[in-house]
Amino acid sequence: MIIFKKKNELKVYLQSLKAQKKTIGLVPTMGALHKGHLSLISQAKKINDIIVVSIFVNPTQFNNTEDLTKYPKTIENDTKLLESVSCDVLFYPSVEEIYNTNVVADSFDFDGLEHQMEGKFRDGHFNGVGTIVKTLFDIVTPHRAYFGQKDFQQLQIIKKMVKKHRINIKIKGCAIFREADGLAMSSRNIRLTKQQREAAPFIYKTLKEVRKKFGLENADEVTQWVEDQFKKQPLFKLEYFTIADEKTLETVKNKESGKKYRAFIAIFAGEIRLIDNIRLHNL
Ligand code: PAF
């Protein structure tokens, strides 16, 4: 695996591969890699010649300084993991390399997707995500880019950005990768205490109940039920739960046939924020 810290060196290297008609798959990450990231890489390997993984903890997408400073950084282990799955290229730039001295996000219009859910609670988050993902796309110009469905809103926003900015990159959304007990894999999970980690499968268990309930009960009733469940759970504080239309991400009230829905949840375990979601329609 070749490691690049400088964008221009990476660009030159990738240009020579593109000249040889090699296809490039990009997996953008913030490091602290886990099996969920590895599954994105293995999806990417199926149809691309060269896999580029980026590791960059993007300051402009954090609305909470403590979350940024405490974000796990495990570059040595990450490098070993990437070597073990035969990743071709790691792009590991510094903040200066990406932002120069101006660490601010650009402003994006994602047709309202950015104002739902995460957007309501993480001010400026999606401008930060849009800024870094667009920058990485400009540097790597991959054929395809891979994102996990755990951050479903992020995935929809990136698809919107690619469409609106006419960026010629295929965005691939990959299924949520879960621990054996159902907890969605996240780099933040390693910050959970033993007690919080043991209780955490409760989140996905609740979402599975929601899937059974929605349709028999309307969205307001299901939401009330979820709120009641979390009131009984001393280790977790519910930030939001909502059932939304998969396309518009707008909260819905009733199930209508032919529409696609997902339930979305964000919770705090102490100061650690976890999100998850579940598809509510049949495929
Ligand atoms: O999902 C993430 O890890 C980040 O939001 C991303 C897409 C790498 C941008 O920093």
Side-chain angles (χ1 to χ4, degrees), residues 95-139:
V95 173
E96 296 75 56
E97 182 66 10
I98 295 294
Y99 286 102
N100 223 322
T101 51
N102 194 26
V103 189
V104 285
D106 296 330
S107 225
F108 288 87
D109 174 0
F110 297 117
D111 291 347
L113 292 180
E114 70 276 31
H115 302 311
Q116 308 298 331
M117 301 179 299
E118 293 295 285
K120 289 186 185 145
F121 294 90
R122 302 187 71 189
D123 196 26
H125 171 66
F126 288 117
N127 279 334
V129 170
T131 304
I132 184 59
V133 173
K134 191 159 181 305
T135 304
L136 291 169
F137 284 178
D138 288 345
I139 298 169

Side-chain angles (χ1 to χ4, degrees), residues 119-234:
K120 289 186 185 145
F121 294 90
R122 302 187 71 189
D123 196 26
H125 171 66
F126 288 117
N127 279 334
V129 170
T131 304
I132 184 59
V133 173
K134 191 159 181 305
T135 304
L136 291 169
F137 284 178
D138 288 345
I139 298 169
V140 178
T141 59
H143 297 82
R144 302 176 189 90
Y146 294 78
F147 298 88
Q149 288 185 343
K150 183 171 75 66
D151 296 287
F152 192 84
Q153 186 174 10
Q154 167 175 280
L155 173 66
Q156 297 297 68
I157 278 177
I158 291 165
K159 284 184 180 166
K160 177 71 79 179
M161 180 178 81
V162 162
K163 201 167 171 203
K164 287 189 88 164
H165 291 254
R166 296 177 189 202
I167 301 171
N168 189 16
I169 297 173
K170 270 230 143 22
I171 303 303
K172 300 278 190 185
C174 304
I176 300 177
F177 218 72
R178 297 185 181 279
E179 301 286 355
D181 60 13
L183 176 65
M185 289 200 186
S186 161
S187 302
R188 290 183 173 87
N189 290 352
I190 51 178
R191 293 185 59 209
L192 296 171
T193 63
K194 190 167 177 282
Q195 227 192 349
Q196 288 166 339
R197 175 62 192 84
E198 276 168 16
F202 174 74
I203 305 164
Y204 184 50
K205 217 172 132 228
T206 308
L207 290 180
K208 282 195 295 188
E209 281 301 309
V210 165
R211 188 163 57 192
K212 284 190 208 149
K213 283 178 179 285
F214 186 51
L216 301 173
E217 295 173 32
N218 71 30
D220 285 345
E221 287 163 334
V222 177
T223 304
Q224 188 58 56
W225 178 82
V226 172
E227 286 171 3
D228 292 344
Q229 298 312 298
F230 273 87
K231 278 183 198 140
K232 291 183 232 156
Q233 237 309 333

